[in-house]
Amino acid sequence: MGTQTFGQPATADPGWALLARVAAGETDAFTVLVDIHQERLLRLCERLLGDAEEARDAAQDVFLKAFRKAAELRPQGQVYTWLYRIAVNHCLNKLRRRRLVRFLRFSDPADEEDGGVSFDPPDRGADPAATLEARRRWQATRKAIEKLPAGQRAVLVLARFEGLSYRQIAEVLGITEGAVESRLFRAMRRVEGAQEMNASRVPRKEGLR
Amino acid sequence: MNRVTEMELMRLLHGELPSDRASALRARLEREPELAAALARLRATWDGLELPPAAPVPLGFAVRVAARAREEKGRAISWATAPAWVRGAAAAALALGILLGAGAGRWTTGEPVPAEPPVAAQAQEEPASVATADDFASSLLDDSLAGSYWAALDETAESGLTEDTPASTGGGGDAL
């Protein structure tokens, strides 16, 4: 935690000037805005949705929403906070939709291998055992995150994988720091339970071989 | 160990505990092995959360998104700058379409629709069209009421554990 790569005061954030140009209809300014924030937003969407391809579509939607809303904005806080908020809401909506579709199909996410998400981990080098082990850990994490309620999932992803402080998360989600702490605590408890269950399953599977 | 202490441990782990409280907690950690074990457990859970590196940004992503924005802007401008009679005609065509659609059922059967069909008939009736689960999900989620429902559901799910927001909201303290 505490990786605050973009904690500048509102006045120092050049993003607002850029947004003003976007609002005036300058699409070149919009290209620059996307260029600045694309890496973070794509990563956030991928962490929340668990799928790189879906994340690309989501990030594009987020930027287009920002483009449409640019004229309505007043410089307040940080541009990234506003973009993160749009992204989190958009992704959580997508997740709810996904959950509802599963419910209507009477399918249990636990029945789907890898929690319904396929991973394509990059080649980490020569050691296949290490790659397999890393893949197992990633899948366990993804499953644990998928089982969290939307609010807890957002807080956990922002804290663990985006390195945002409690204050920054509170700004992004529009909640209090106390609520961030409380959600994170509950998320950690659930994840701990999932990790324990996962750990107790692994030796049993190996014993069957 | 109570929940407040566990939350303090979590704040300490995340570097979110003010320095005076962090020092006090560290002193307790040296004296209380149970507390130290709880912190170790929290740290293991936190460190155990790993995901693969994110996929690289697709080549030309920003340019493609900007092109889409330009397209949207072009459509909006052409509509806004269309002559008033074109916009009026489009609105009239839309209204006529809706009216025709609503009356289509009666026109095709040639019979008046009964006010209330018999119960047996209701039971045997087949749906006119079968929507996919995705369509139905979309229709529900597009409804703001459904949005509130899901938000409430999330909150309920979250409050499955004891609900207790601490009064303290210190920040920017020492990490362990």
Side-chain angles (χ1 to χ4, degrees):
Chain A
M1 291 281 296
T3 320
Q4 298 174 20
T5 48
F6 32 65
Q8 319 155 22
T11 47
D13 190 347
W16 290 114
L18 204 58
L19 266 178
R21 287 173 53 205
V22 172
E26 286 185 42
T27 42
D28 287 348
F30 181 63
T31 313
V32 176
L33 185 84
V34 176
D35 210 40
I36 291 171
H37 295 282
Q38 58 183 359
E39 196 176 340
R40 276 185 207 142
L41 280 197
L42 278 161
R43 190 183 57 215
L44 174 65
C45 292
E46 190 179 330
R47 299 299 192 215
L48 283 168
L49 297 170
D51 182 84
E53 203 171 316
E54 213 179 338
R56 280 196 286 273
D57 291 342
Q60 176 169 293
D61 291 343
V62 168
F63 281 119
L64 289 173
K65 274 186 188 176
F67 180 74
R68 285 178 219 128
K69 298 268 176 193
E72 299 165 23
L73 270 180
R74 284 180 193 163
Q76 193 179 12
Q78 304 288 315
V79 172
Y80 85 85
T81 307
W82 176 64
L83 287 172
Y84 263 46
R85 187 178 295 176
I86 300 176
V88 168
N89 285 338
H90 188 74
C91 290
L92 294 189
N93 243 350
K94 269 180 163 294
L95 288 169
R96 285 171 184 141
R97 197 169 297 218
R98 194 193 282 171
R99 197 172 52 174
L100 183 58
V101 168
R102 271 186 191 149
F103 171 74
L104 292 171
R105 286 177 182 155
F106 301 104
S107 67
D108 182 353
D111 294 340
E112 296 170 30
E113 203 176 338
D114 301 346
V117 173
S118 63
F119 278 101
D120 186 20
D123 187 7
R124 279 199 158 187
D127 189 356
T131 308
L132 262 177
E133 178 54 27
R135 191 185 161 93
R136 193 192 62 75
R137 284 199 308 272
W138 296 336
Q139 285 173 350
T141 298
R142 174 51 60 199
K143 275 188 183 176
I145 291 176
E146 281 211 333
K147 284 181 182 156
L148 294 175
Q152 289 178 25
R153 180 194 294 224
V155 168
L156 188 75
V157 166
L158 289 171
R160 178 69 179 99
F161 301 108
E162 295 302 310
L164 264 60
S165 69
Y166 290 6
R167 185 184 56 76
Q168 288 172 321
I169 297 170
E171 274 177 37
V172 168
L173 299 180
I175 56 178
T176 63
E177 267 189 59
V180 171
E181 185 179 20
S182 187
R183 283 187 191 184
L184 195 52
F185 182 75
R186 280 181 266 149
M188 288 279 280
R189 278 211 171 157
R190 281 177 187 245
V191 167
E192 192 181 349
Q195 284 175 346
E196 276 169 10
M197 231 162 79
N198 196 42
S200 67
R201 270 184 194 159
V202 173
R204 206 167 54 223
K205 275 187 185 170
E206 282 171 354
L208 288 172
R209 281 178 196 160
Chain B
M1 190 185 319
N2 63 29
R3 182 182 156 108
V4 174
T5 311
E6 279 191 70
M7 285 178 117
E8 288 258 305
L9 286 176
M10 193 182 70
R11 271 193 174 264
L12 186 70
L13 180 69
H14 295 161
E16 294 275 350
L17 205 60
S19 51
D20 53 333
R21 275 160 58 194
S23 306
L25 193 56
R26 279 202 198 92
R28 273 187 68 193
L29 280 165
E30 283 176 13
R31 292 194 309 268
E32 300 175 35
E34 192 197 341
L35 203 61
L39 179 64
R41 212 172 49 238
L42 262 180
R43 191 193 300 277
T45 303
W46 188 249
D47 293 344
L49 283 167
E50 275 185 62
L51 285 176
V57 176
L59 210 64
F61 179 79
V63 176
R64 274 201 305 278
V65 176
R68 282 280 310 272
R70 212 170 281 127
E71 245 176 62
E72 267 194 22
K73 195 178 144 198
R75 274 202 302 270
I77 287 174
S78 63
W79 180 246
T81 54
W85 70 267
V86 172
R87 282 181 281 165
L94 185 68
L96 189 66
I98 291 168
L99 282 174
L100 285 176
R106 291 173 190 226
W107 283 45
T108 48
T109 57
E111 287 175 16
V113 177
E116 199 174 333
V119 176
Q122 277 182 18
Q124 286 170 1
E125 255 179 29
E126 286 292 321
S129 63
V130 181
T132 64
D134 297 83
D135 295 337
F136 186 50
S138 299
S139 69
L140 281 184
L141 282 158
D142 288 342
D143 187 339
S144 60
L145 194 64
S148 323
Y149 168 75
W150 283 108
L153 198 68
D154 284 336
E155 288 307 317
T156 314
E158 283 179 28
S159 58
L161 290 160
T162 46
E163 188 73 45
D164 189 11
T165 306
S168 63
T169 53
D174 304 329
L176 261 192

